[in-house]
Amino acid sequence: MDKGKLRKTYQEVISIEEYLRKRQKMKESEQKERIIKAHEKSPTWLLAELYV
C-alpha cells in the first residue's frame, strides 16, 4: 500500500471537548478579524485619518 496516500486520508481522532475548544478558538479569531476589518472600513476612521 502507498504510505503517502494513506497519510493524506488520515483523520485525527479527538475528544468532543478538544473539538469544542478548537472550534471556539476559530470563532474568536474570526470575530477579531471581522472587528479589525470593520474598523478599517469605518467612515469614522477614514475621517479621523484626514485630520491626522
Side-chain angles (χ1 to χ4, degrees):
M1 188 190 297
D2 184 17
K3 289 184 180 182
K5 197 173 193 179
L6 180 64
R7 289 182 186 156
K8 289 180 183 178
T9 60
Y10 173 76
Q11 292 182 347
E12 183 181 1
V13 177
I14 59 174
S15 68
I16 293 173
E17 292 84 6
E18 188 175 354
Y19 167 78
L20 292 174
R21 265 187 265 122
K22 287 182 178 183
R23 186 70 188 130
Q24 183 65 31
K25 286 181 183 179
M26 289 172 56
K27 284 184 179 181
E28 289 173 358
S29 66
E30 289 172 359
Q31 287 176 347
K32 287 179 185 177
E33 288 177 14
R34 276 191 234 125
I35 290 171
I36 290 171
K37 287 181 182 178
H39 283 283
E40 289 175 353
K41 294 180 181 180
S42 170
T44 307
W45 284 107
L46 295 174
L47 290 173
E49 289 176 2
L50 292 175
Y51 290 112
V52 175

